[in-house]
Amino acid sequence: MTVRTRIAPSPTGDPHVGTAYIALFNLAFARQHGGQFLLRIEDTDQARSTAESEQSIYDSLRWLGLDWDEGPDVGGDNGPYRQSERRDIYAKHIEILLESGHAFKCYRTAQELDELRAQKQEAGGFSALKFSDLELPEDVVAQRESEGASYVVRMHVPEEGVCTFNDMLRGDIEMDWGMVDCQILMKSDGMPTYHLANVVDDHLMDITHVIRGEEWLSSAPKHQLLYKYFGWDMPVLCHMPLLRNPDKSKLSKRKNPTSILYYKHMGFMPEALLNYLGRMGWSMPDEREQFSRDEMFSHFDISRVSLGGPIFDQEKLSWLNSQWIRDLSESEFVEQFIKWGLNKEALAPAIAHIQPRIERFSDVVPLAGFLLSGMPEVDETDFAHKSIEPTQMVELLQMGLWQLEAIRDWQKPEIQQRLFALAKIEGVKPKDFLYGFFVAIAGTPNSFSVLDSMAIIGPDMSRARVRHSVDVLGGISKKAMKKLDKKYRDVSAQIELQLADIDA
Ligand code: GLU
């Protein structure tokens, strides 16, 4: 048997360090066994998937030195490797399940589903929806069918009893079937859900080992059942512990930058970031902290993964990076530094802002050094503004940050539209509104266009600096955040409407 593993990211948003972490362990496992590693793009959520996000997954995994043997961009014998191009395959498999009676069409309306859930909750016990809950009398089904009502396809799951499945790191795990819904396999628009597409693809792509994040453990009973319904052997499952923030909560961008691109722009060496990810729940037999990708691969043993949640700590990562930097020869240092930020590609977008403003080249760094820096050195006093109170300042920055997080195509016009729309709703003049953003991004209100600066330094670095400023200003208390969140929902809806009008 040839070992075949895969990473199956969804191309939504920024490429996540968690994706690189899981990719690394899949690749290490495949290489250790002389097997193959493939990349599949799970883009069944068409509304949220973007081509830019897909490209940034390829770029950032390659930057880290993670290569795949098969994938949408490199081809292979088991393609297509993008789920949106495999609809016919899923439709065929849905038919198989409907014919064998393992799946059923469900004509329940959203309102009925809400009522059913409420009833179950009230009755106590498990609230998962079962066939006995969802079943409609035959004449009602016929009626809805003849009216062309929309339906989803769901899988049958046992009403009760215990499901046992095996995980490579945890051994046998038991889960009560009572907790498992009759999972939707195909949505009313004909698109498959993650569960169906994932199982069908893993089988057709000959995946032997599914190494994925712990958050998918609860999907295992459904997947095991689907393999049984199709009469297929199930790959070995291995659920990796989730990366955590230093406070042990699940790694989230609210507390830690999670985009691989952020670490690239911050000037972490790819070797160091990969090394650090390799230490998440795993260690070399001799416990050494610094090791290369190939050293990790030659000593890899997945059974040495420990299940305690590994902490992704910026300070430890920075220390490890400093070790990698110290190990560079002078010429390697120069080469890497130039490759990182002192090259034509990195500098070109800033020249139009720098050239008209300077008299000597020695003016460049004082004027534009912030473009290549990490977090600016600022404190609360830097944000003091004549007409914006500190509490309002921090709220404007936070709401601005949420708007920046909503941008899919990071260009100046959209950054401007969103932030100015927010300023208008908040009744603040654009110039005053941008004051805090100048300080957050450039470290000073006296810089060239902050909107252009954000476009140049990119989404991950811009968001990280604004987030940092919110922290510098003391953050927002839980209570205030709840209130702000509520208010923001309204504000954001208004802005989305305005943007839709502009697009139309
Ligand atoms: N598309 C899923 C994700 O985004 C894949 C999970 C899995 O590996 O099965 O993580």
Side-chain angles (χ1 to χ4, degrees), residues 214-379:
E214 206 168 36
E215 72 266 40
W216 302 103
L217 255 180
S218 60
S219 300
K222 297 172 204 169
H223 293 190
Q224 180 166 276
L225 202 53
L226 283 173
Y227 281 99
K228 196 172 131 203
Y229 288 166
F230 285 119
W232 299 334
D233 286 338
M234 174 146 121
V236 176
L237 297 183
C238 175
H239 292 88
M240 296 289 294
L242 285 184
L243 301 183
R244 300 195 174 268
N245 296 308
D247 67 3
K248 302 252 167 82
S249 57
K250 182 180 157 193
L251 188 70
S252 68
K253 61 181 176 193
R254 288 210 163 183
K255 298 200 174 141
N256 241 327
T258 53
S259 164
I260 301 170
L261 296 172
Y262 166 81
Y263 293 94
K264 184 177 180 200
H265 293 152
M266 266 310 260
F268 285 93
M269 284 175 57
E271 294 85 348
L273 180 53
L274 202 68
N275 179 176
Y276 191 58
L277 291 173
R279 296 194 50 219
M280 295 288 103
W282 192 82
S283 57
M284 288 289 260
D286 63 2
E287 300 286 331
R288 91 186 93 131
E289 301 196 74
Q290 197 180 347
F291 49 84
S292 68
R293 183 193 75 160
D294 292 343
E295 283 167 335
M296 174 175 178
F297 290 179
S298 57
H299 290 96
F300 191 66
D301 174 4
I302 201 153
S303 67
R304 297 190 51 240
V305 168
S306 81
L307 292 175
I311 305 243
F312 191 88
D313 181 348
Q314 301 282 325
E315 276 175 35
K316 290 228 172 80
L317 170 59
S318 297
W319 171 81
L320 191 59
N321 199 55
S322 74
Q323 302 305 303
W324 277 89
I325 286 188
R326 281 168 191 48
D327 285 350
L328 295 171
S329 68
E330 246 173 52
S331 68
E332 282 168 344
F333 184 100
V334 172
E335 198 184 307
Q336 294 251 1
F337 185 46
I338 289 175
K339 197 166 149 202
W340 170 69
L342 290 188
N343 55 66
K344 217 170 160 183
E345 201 190 324
L347 296 177
I351 303 306
H353 304 285
I354 297 172
Q355 204 172 6
R357 290 181 170 83
I358 62 163
E359 289 166 357
R360 297 146 300 211
F361 287 130
S362 55
D363 299 326
V364 175
V365 170
L367 176 75
F370 74 92
L371 296 175
L372 289 180
S373 302
M375 300 304 117
E377 300 263 336
V378 287
D379 62 30

Side-chain angles (χ1 to χ4, degrees), residues 396 399-400 402-404 406-407 412-431 433-434 437 451 487-488 490-502:
L396 292 177
M399 287 195 284
W402 285 331
Q403 276 302 307
L404 297 180
I407 297 180
K412 182 183 173 185
E414 189 174 342
I415 306 175
Q416 175 163 346
Q417 273 162 14
R418 285 185 179 273
L419 293 186
F420 283 11
L422 173 60
K424 194 164 176 207
I425 295 171
E426 288 301 296
V428 180
K429 283 198 209 104
K431 191 165 168 275
F433 177 87
L434 287 182
F437 288 83
L451 299 169
K487 165 179 162 183
Y488 177 73
D490 240 30
V491 171
S492 139
Q494 284 184 52
I495 295 177
E496 293 308 326
L497 269 178
Q498 282 183 30
L499 291 184
D501 268 357
I502 294 170

